[in-house]
Amino acid sequence: MTNQSWWKSAVIYQIYPRSFQDSNNDGIGDLPGIIERLDYLATLGIDAIWLSPVYRSPNDDNGYDISDYEAIGEEYGSMDDMDRLIAEANQRNIKIIMDLVVNHTSDEHPWFQQALQGKDNPYHDFFVWRDTPNELESNFSGSAWEYVPALDEYYLHLHSIKQPDLNWENPEMRQAIWDMMNFWLEKGIGGFRLDVIDLIGKEPDNLITKNGPKLHELLQEMNEKTFGAYDVVTVGETWGATPEIAELYSKPERNELSMVFQFEHINLDKQAGKRKWDLKKLDPQDLHDVFSKWQIELDGKGWNSLFWNNHDLPRIVSRWGNDSEEFREVSGKMLAIYLHFMKGTPYIYQGEELGMTNFPVADISEVDDIESRRMYAERLEQGYSKEAMITSINAKGRDNARHPMQWNDTEHAGFTQGTPWLPAHPNKASINVEKALDNPASIFYTYQKLIALRKEKQVIIDGSYEIVATENPNVLAYTRTLGEERLFVVVNFSEEVQTYQLAHTEFKETLIHNYDTPITTTLQPYEAFAVEI
């Protein structure tokens, strides 16, 4: 497969706007704040920004409940600021990818307000209504149906009751979505990240939510009516995807999406059949097996997205690296090296390039995240101990990723001069942008180098992937091959010294290494390297 699309060699950086940079000192990050920091992102070398939602929203679910698709939330700025961000980013060869939620709206969206006026209102059928509820449950716990006494009907909400689901069987509703998407595409954005897109083909009467029978037909229509005419990237959030399903979304000739986010690896540290809060230790070999499966099975058929972090996940260095003072930097580099030599488009979440860590709390009063708070209330009733629940929230809670970006060692880490909506991490003095830029051995420069290598080496974009057996479950290795060019990547996924068997002895060039020592078959804690062979 030749590298025709810009997004195949791109590295995408996710910004959670509320926590990135506050320009007006109200404690909430905003669009002018992002503009102020574009030069920093250009120095890192990224090609595109995935912007978590900045539309008008009552923020029941931090912007994933949209009340106006064609207006910017007041806390983030104005549409003029948005236009300026797109223009300023384009000047630095950085594209802006909008996060778009089309499975549901906010209950404060004018469409839903009209829908409540009566069953004969044309907007009533923009949403999913039933006379009697069935057993479908909301992803935020409880029934997925909410009764409206004035209509004597129930509406479907697969998320919060303030997030009514759109009725994708209605052609007028679909046309309204196409018009809105084209409004953004005409502004010159670089594409869309489509939130919970695998839910739009739902058949609630048959208890089908994900991967409904008409899902791919709907995505092909979306492609034809909107982004298919533009040179943009589209990535779908698809929690239920397997490699076979991912191929349906991302095989180029099917005219659906560029790629999807799959989450199989994200579920490896929870107990089987239970929820994410039911913790278990990660087995590095399981992780290698999952990544390798996706590398091999999608090869030549679809396209992978590569990520460790996002706004819904804990910080990777705390989760699967080691956030102790001794090992934080070296394990952060190891995780980066392991991921960035794979085939697919890598995503970096704000602060990941600094090795930012989880933010531990001692009490539920310190937690903002709706999902964590609901779990806590639910499990309190079920008799779980407070200590166990706080342990789970510290490990997996979404707030971990949402505390402010750490720019410097001032009181609120350079994020704001006001009172931040979530506090800055106490470790801001040792982990921040200023410090990272001043230290040639920081995690930041490992990420910068990995991004540059992706631009230089076609083998990273197009090469085939092969697992290399090391006879040690903590040592993960693979090769990438394109014609005569061959790369060999080895990582020690543990804090102990490890040895492994080596089939390759002739190294042509070391591309990257997170230790200043010679490469041997004995690996230091979290040692990682990539070489040409």
Side-chain angles (χ1 to χ4, degrees), residues 358-362 366 394 400 425:
N358 280 354
F359 189 107
V361 298
E366 300 171 65
N394 282 336
N400 280 309
H425 201 296

Side-chain angles (χ1 to χ4, degrees), residues 103 134-139 144-145 156-159 165 196-215 218 239-240 249:
N103 173 68
N134 62 15
E135 62 264 46
L136 274 182
E137 291 206 349
S138 149
N139 291 321
W145 298 96
L156 179 71
H157 60 92
L158 291 176
H159 294 82
D165 277 55
V196 294
I197 197 65
D198 54 349
L199 303 181
I200 65 168
K202 69 183 80 69
E203 291 188 352
D205 300 331
N206 298 321
L207 304 181
I208 294 170
T209 54
K210 291 176 183 164
N211 299 317
K214 290 190 179 156
L215 172 63
L218 291 169
W239 277 86
Y249 288 107

Side-chain angles (χ1 to χ4, degrees), residues 134-272:
N134 62 15
E135 62 264 46
L136 274 182
E137 291 206 349
S138 149
N139 291 321
F140 289 169
S141 71
S143 171
W145 298 96
E146 180 69 10
Y147 184 59
V148 178
L151 298 173
D152 190 26
E153 273 187 314
Y154 294 80
Y155 68 83
L156 179 71
H157 60 92
L158 291 176
H159 294 82
S160 133
I161 59 168
K162 289 184 64 64
Q163 292 169 295
D165 277 55
L166 287 164
N167 174 18
W168 276 80
E169 291 182 13
N170 179 340
E172 282 82 25
M173 193 288 299
R174 295 202 301 276
Q175 188 57 51
I177 294 288
W178 310 152
D179 293 346
M180 174 271 293
M181 291 175 75
N182 286 321
F183 164 83
W184 284 106
L185 288 160
E186 282 155 22
K187 282 189 174 289
I189 64 165
F192 294 108
R193 178 262 186 190
L194 296 158
D195 186 68
V196 294
I197 197 65
D198 54 349
L199 303 181
I200 65 168
K202 69 183 80 69
E203 291 188 352
D205 300 331
N206 298 321
L207 304 181
I208 294 170
T209 54
K210 291 176 183 164
N211 299 317
K214 290 190 179 156
L215 172 63
H216 295 283
E217 191 184 308
L218 291 169
L219 287 173
Q220 285 163 6
E221 184 184 351
M222 180 188 284
N223 182 308
E224 181 196 341
K225 303 281 190 188
T226 65
F227 51 74
Y230 294 82
D231 181 23
V232 295
V233 64
T234 51
V235 53
E237 181 194 26
T238 58
W239 277 86
T242 60
E244 296 73 33
I245 293 171
E247 184 186 328
L248 297 177
Y249 288 107
S250 66
K251 197 171 192 170
E253 53 271 30
R254 287 178 56 82
N255 294 321
E256 293 187 23
L257 306 177
S258 314
M259 67 188 96
V260 296
F261 286 130
Q262 61 81 16
F263 295 89
E264 193 175 347
H265 63 296
I266 291 306
N267 287 317
L268 292 174
D269 58 358
K270 77 176 180 73
Q271 296 168 35

Side-chain angles (χ1 to χ4, degrees), residues 433-461:
V433 167
E434 273 181 20
K435 202 164 174 177
L437 292 176
D438 284 346
N439 173 13
S442 69
I443 299 177
F444 175 91
Y445 290 109
T446 293
Y447 274 90
Q448 186 190 58
K449 172 84 170 161
L450 289 166
I451 294 167
L453 283 166
R454 189 163 280 268
K455 306 274 183 291
E456 291 162 25
K457 302 268 177 207
Q458 201 61 35
V459 62
I460 304 176
I461 316 301

